Amino acid sequence: MQVWKFGGTSVGKPERMHSIRELLNSDPSRKIVVLSALSGSTNALIAIGEAAKAFDDAKAAALIEDLKTHYGLFIKELYATPAGRANGQTIVDNEFGFIKSLVGIKPFTIKQEKELVAEGEILSTKMFQAYLEEKGENSVLLPALDFMRIDADGEPELATIEEKLVTILNQYTDKQTIITQGFICRNPREEVDNLKRGGSDYTASLIGGAIRADEIQIWTDIDGMHNNDPRIVKRTFPIRELTFEEAAELAYFGAKILHPSTITPAKLRGVPVRLKNTMQPEAPGTLIANQTSDRDIKAIAAKDNITAIYIHSTRMLNAYGFLRRVFEIFEKYKTPVDMITTSEVSVSVTIDNSENLDKISAELREFADLEEHDRDQNIICIVGNFSADKEGIALKVLDAMKHIPIRMISYGASEHNLSLLIHSKYKAEALNVLNERLFYYEDAMKDIFTAP
Ligand SMILES: Nc1ncnc2c1ncn2[C@@H]1O[C@H](COP(=O)(O)OP(=O)(O)O)[C@@H](O)[C@H]1O
Ligand SMILES: N[C@@H](CC(=O)OP(=O)(O)O)C(=O)O
């Protein structure tokens, strides 16, 4: 069995949903199909929630009407028959009736907000299942809220997911296609919750891991993971193969095509992940698996909104226990640290969640001196096979960056990652100069020095 996930752009237009059906039928394997909300819907639902929170009923009602109109037009093109359209209209009327009732609850709490945001995936999957039914396909809609669980820390409970899903799937052995929602889940209080923005990729990987799928395919609007951010850099190309470790580093450090946690369940259960393009299905895409390929430097990614914290020990040389005390504070505030550099008396760290920064700083000041934090920083992450015997990689990176001020460097923690901290104003320049130096320079040199 395979798990195929289609993102917001892949379900965002009626004709795209038609293409998904064709894609599903062009491959004989049984599949669990994970769908995101129509592109733009999650943002629109969040905006409705913001208006409700602010007691701005008129604004909330207007935003709801706009979104409902969008869905009304969508279903007109999605279905071919009057019966199909009537079915689609019932789905839209029911879900928007529910959305209105949610927004009417005062005060509008986080519980209602999560139920509201979940409506994006509920609508897309119900509409798609009704479309497959109209076409007489052998499919069923399986609510993710029946099996997708997170714990009190927001972490998915893989064992529970596996147990519930396997039991449910046993009832549908005759179904060729099983549709479910990405992103949404239940928390330990049984409330509707979610896996955070972009979380449908994670759903697909959790399902793929839970059922030990043959393959997980993430279908999106680009022909695989590119060697650099195509929104910022012009000359990028798709990478054919990545190891789980390389893909995890890229996703964590900003390659938007994958949710940062996607790789973990797939890697745990050894399920390969393939990134494919809905608009160009014949393109090979990117295969993420255990194998390595020989190119040393694979790709570059950038993570935004980073804050750097510079901590100096007041006890000076040979103080032990200092790092433990520092990291206990970050642990206490559940704030992950991305980059770390140390000297004998100082440690610098970066974080991307600065929600508790004031409290963290106050506790650090009890035993350390802090410099002023550097906000609006960017981590540039170069990913590849950097095993200890490889020469010259850092030289190439630093050569490319010679005109850009570097605040921190992290190299050697993993064999797959070299990270640099720079101010975000240099991000586009850094991605572009690294792209030219790391991926095109040698070829350009060959052209210059090879006699025609
Ligand atoms: N290194 C990269 N390789 C490929 N795409 C990337 C990369 N970095 C950023 N992206 C962006 O990720 C987008 C796909 O992710 P996303 O919008 O979340 O898709 P979906 O809606 O299908 O989940 C691409 O359109 C591309 O602009
Ligand atoms: N709808 C969610 C989940 C998601 O993963 O979307 P996408 O597959 O379009 O990134 C979001 O917008 O965050």
Side-chain angles (χ1 to χ4, degrees), residues 364-376:
L364 286 171
R365 281 198 187 92
E366 286 173 17
F367 60 91
D369 291 329
L370 300 190
E371 269 177 50
E372 197 177 326
H373 308 315
D374 273 338
R375 292 174 197 263
D376 205 10

Side-chain angles (χ1 to χ4, degrees), residues 64-366:
I64 292 173
E65 272 324 300
D66 283 354
L67 194 60
K68 191 174 176 192
T69 307
H70 179 66
Y71 278 83
L73 295 171
F74 195 99
I75 54 172
K76 280 204 180 102
E77 287 180 42
L78 179 61
Y79 304 100
T81 61
R85 285 199 194 103
N87 251 344
Q89 193 60 54
T90 308
I91 293 167
V92 171
D93 288 344
N94 286 345
E95 298 311 320
F96 276 86
F98 179 62
I99 289 172
K100 279 181 197 155
S101 71
L102 274 178
V103 167
I105 299 173
K106 301 279 179 315
F108 185 79
T109 63
I110 184 93
K111 180 172 174 290
Q112 278 90 43
E113 192 179 347
K114 293 205 166 143
E115 286 184 43
L116 176 64
V117 170
E119 281 301 301
E121 273 70 14
I122 295 193
L123 273 158
S124 66
T125 48
K126 285 193 173 175
M127 283 160 40
F128 187 64
Q129 167 59 13
Y131 167 61
L132 293 188
E133 273 169 26
E134 183 190 48
K135 294 291 176 194
E137 306 289 358
N138 180 20
S139 67
V140 65
L141 175 59
L142 208 157
L145 299 178
D146 290 354
F147 63 86
M148 196 52 76
R149 285 288 186 281
I150 52 170
D151 64 19
D153 291 324
E155 293 298 325
E157 295 180 324
L158 192 56
T160 313
I161 296 168
E162 178 173 355
E163 194 191 310
K164 286 181 181 288
L165 190 55
V166 169
T167 311
I168 300 171
L169 284 176
N170 279 336
Q171 301 163 24
Y172 296 112
T173 47
D174 58 327
K175 296 290 175 193
Q176 170 70 9
T177 307
I178 294 156
I179 314 286
T180 194
Q181 297 90 13
F183 180 60
I184 63 174
C185 58
R186 281 194 195 277
N187 61 30
R189 294 183 299 281
E190 289 291 318
E191 295 162 353
V192 176
D193 212 316
N194 61 61
L195 301 174
K196 307 208 175 74
R197 294 308 303 272
S200 298
D201 297 337
Y202 199 13
T203 304
S205 178
L206 286 162
I207 293 177
I211 64 161
R212 293 172 164 79
D214 299 324
E215 187 163 290
I216 298 161
Q217 298 196 350
I218 309 280
W219 289 80
T220 180
D221 61 348
I222 188 162
D223 54 346
M225 176 78 81
H226 277 220
N227 69 314
N228 208 326
D229 192 329
R231 296 164 302 177
I232 298 172
V233 174
K234 272 205 190 102
R235 286 213 289 174
T236 66
F237 54 85
I239 312 162
R240 294 289 162 239
E241 286 176 10
L242 283 171
T243 62
F244 285 122
E245 290 77 11
E246 289 165 343
E249 299 275 6
L250 283 170
Y252 186 75
F253 286 104
K256 184 180 175 277
I257 186 170
L258 268 188
H259 180 281
S261 306
T262 309
I263 295 305
T264 315
K267 185 182 166 199
L268 187 73
R269 296 278 165 90
V271 182
V273 178
R274 202 180 287 273
L275 309 182
K276 296 276 291 174
N277 187 353
T278 325
M279 268 71 87
Q280 213 187 319
E282 65 291 348
T286 300
L287 178 65
I288 303 168
N290 270 320
Q291 76 270 37
T292 52
S293 79
D294 42 19
R295 184 189 258 282
D296 288 346
I297 300 177
K298 293 273 182 66
I300 308 165
K303 193 170 181 178
D304 301 333
N305 298 323
I306 301 293
T307 301
I309 306 170
Y310 307 106
I311 309 156
H312 306 289
S313 167
T314 43
R315 294 201 22 227
M316 303 304 284
L317 292 172
N318 295 327
Y320 49 83
F322 174 64
L323 288 180
R324 178 184 52 75
R325 292 184 74 185
V326 168
F327 288 109
E328 269 173 1
I329 295 172
F330 288 95
E331 188 185 350
K332 179 173 167 190
Y333 290 101
K334 293 189 175 155
T335 302
V337 167
D338 288 334
M339 278 178 82
I340 309 166
T341 56
T342 59
S343 78
E344 183 67 24
V345 294
S346 306
V347 54
S348 303
V349 302
T350 70
I351 57 171
D352 74 343
N353 174 2
S354 46
E355 203 181 317
N356 289 311
L357 184 55
D358 289 345
K359 289 182 201 146
I360 291 171
S361 306
E363 292 203 24
L364 286 171
R365 281 198 187 92
E366 286 173 17

Side-chain angles (χ1 to χ4, degrees), residues 7-75:
T9 42
S10 302
V11 294
K13 294 206 169 115
E15 62 269 27
R16 300 252 162 92
M17 283 203 179
H18 297 161
S19 312
I20 294 178
R21 174 177 162 250
E22 279 168 26
L23 280 172
L24 296 175
N25 286 339
S26 68
D27 179 277
S29 54
R30 276 185 79 216
K31 294 175 203 79
I32 299 187
V33 175
V34 176
L35 299 186
S36 295
L38 274 51
S39 56
S41 283
T42 308
N43 286 344
L45 290 163
I46 289 171
I48 293 168
E50 292 300 320
K53 255 191 276 177
F55 297 94
D56 192 342
D57 290 349
K59 185 171 178 191
L63 291 173
I64 292 173
E65 272 324 300
D66 283 354
L67 194 60
K68 191 174 176 192
T69 307
H70 179 66
Y71 278 83
L73 295 171
F74 195 99
I75 54 172

